[in-house]
Amino acid sequence: MDGRIIIADTQALTLAGLTKILSDIKPLTAIDHVADADQLFSTIGNDKTDLLFIDYRFLPGFSEEGFDKLISSFPDLRSVVISSDTEHEAILRVLDSGVSGFLTKECSEDEIKAAVKAVEKGEKFFCHRIFDIVVKRRSTKWKDTKRPFLSDRELEVIKLIALGNSTVEIASALNLSHHTISSHRKNIIKKLNIKSPTEFVVHAIDLGLIKI
């Protein structure tokens, strides 16, 4: 990453602790702090930002619904939530918006470092507590129904989707057209009855394609 890191949070201890950890990981990277939603959008828009750490519960003017605008406005931004939120539905809405990672404020320094490493490679990173929430959302029908057959190519595609790759990136990696990848994606969604982006990750882990 060549750009900046932004921390969007108003809790003093979080700002100090996260700044120290990130400074140790990326000593030559500028780290900026923002105190509200307006400052967040203007700061990102003014200069290249590669990584955002954000707590939507402690950023005035921002909520879980704000991620749709954030991600559509800055599609190349890697956004990692680090929050003490315990409301499962709010957490799931944030995950479905397409954030790169989700940590809790109980996470260790090693988990934060692992999250930075993962999102730098374009992968998703959820801490174990967040992943448990995603898994629990699966319906009884999903868990008890025999899994439909997936072709080898569909297995490749679901793994790459789960790791956070776009349709264009997958097409390039597999030397296929983006129309072909879109077709595979639609088939996977239909076969597995996928309702949200995070379910690609859950299925990929269930199939042994990726590990947490």
Side-chain angles (χ1 to χ4, degrees):
M1 289 186 174
D2 327 5
R4 301 171 303 173
I5 296 174
I6 291 178
I7 302 175
D9 197 321
T10 55
Q11 293 182 302
L13 288 176
T14 299
L15 287 172
L18 193 51
T19 299
K20 175 64 169 62
I21 292 170
L22 294 173
S23 296
D24 291 342
I25 302 171
K26 309 284 290 182
L28 302 180
T29 301
I31 300 175
D32 292 336
H33 301 156
V34 297
D36 59 44
D38 289 339
Q39 189 181 8
L40 171 63
F41 280 91
S42 63
T43 301
I44 296 174
N46 285 339
D47 200 357
K48 179 175 174 56
T49 302
D50 282 318
L51 180 59
L52 167 67
F53 275 86
I54 180 170
D55 188 345
Y56 53 92
R57 296 194 66 186
F58 287 95
L59 190 68
F62 198 89
S63 66
E64 62 265 23
E65 289 81 7
F67 285 101
D68 290 332
K69 178 183 176 183
L70 180 69
I71 291 170
S72 63
S73 300
F74 308 103
D76 295 329
L77 178 67
R78 309 288 187 182
S79 52
V80 178
V81 175
I82 181 163
S83 176
S84 55
D85 194 355
T86 58
E87 296 179 12
H88 288 198
E89 288 306 313
I91 292 170
L92 290 168
R93 284 195 297 272
V94 172
L95 292 174
D96 287 345
S97 71
V99 295
S100 301
F102 203 124
L103 303 169
T104 69
K105 290 192 174 177
E106 290 73 37
C107 285
S108 67
E109 182 174 340
D110 286 342
E111 284 183 291
I112 295 173
K113 290 178 178 178
V116 172
K117 183 177 180 180
V119 300
E120 281 188 324
K121 295 190 295 184
E123 298 176 356
K124 300 284 188 180
F125 187 94
F126 307 144
C127 72
H128 283 76
R129 191 179 77 83
I130 298 301
F131 181 72
D132 287 344
I133 292 172
V134 176
V135 171
K136 286 176 183 177
R137 179 166 62 172
R138 292 182 299 177
S139 65
T140 301
K141 180 179 179 181
W142 175 5
K143 290 186 287 185
D144 294 342
T145 301
K146 184 177 179 180
R147 192 179 303 282
F149 173 78
L150 296 178
S151 68
D152 289 343
R153 182 65 80 190
E154 287 168 343
L155 290 171
E156 287 182 300
V157 171
I158 193 173
K159 176 180 179 179
L160 291 169
I161 292 172
L163 290 174
N165 292 279
S166 68
T167 297
V168 173
E169 289 169 334
I170 295 171
S172 176
L174 299 181
N175 197 27
L176 297 170
S177 73
H178 69 275
H179 297 294
T180 300
I181 300 304
S182 295
S183 178
H184 283 310
R185 184 186 181 105
K186 289 176 183 177
N187 289 338
I188 292 167
I189 289 172
K190 184 177 180 180
K191 286 182 178 182
L192 299 182
N193 193 28
I194 287 175
K195 302 295 186 184
S196 70
T198 53
E199 290 182 7
F200 280 103
V201 179
V202 175
H203 276 295
I205 292 171
D206 282 349
L207 290 165
L209 301 173
I210 61 175
K211 296 180 180 180
I212 59 168

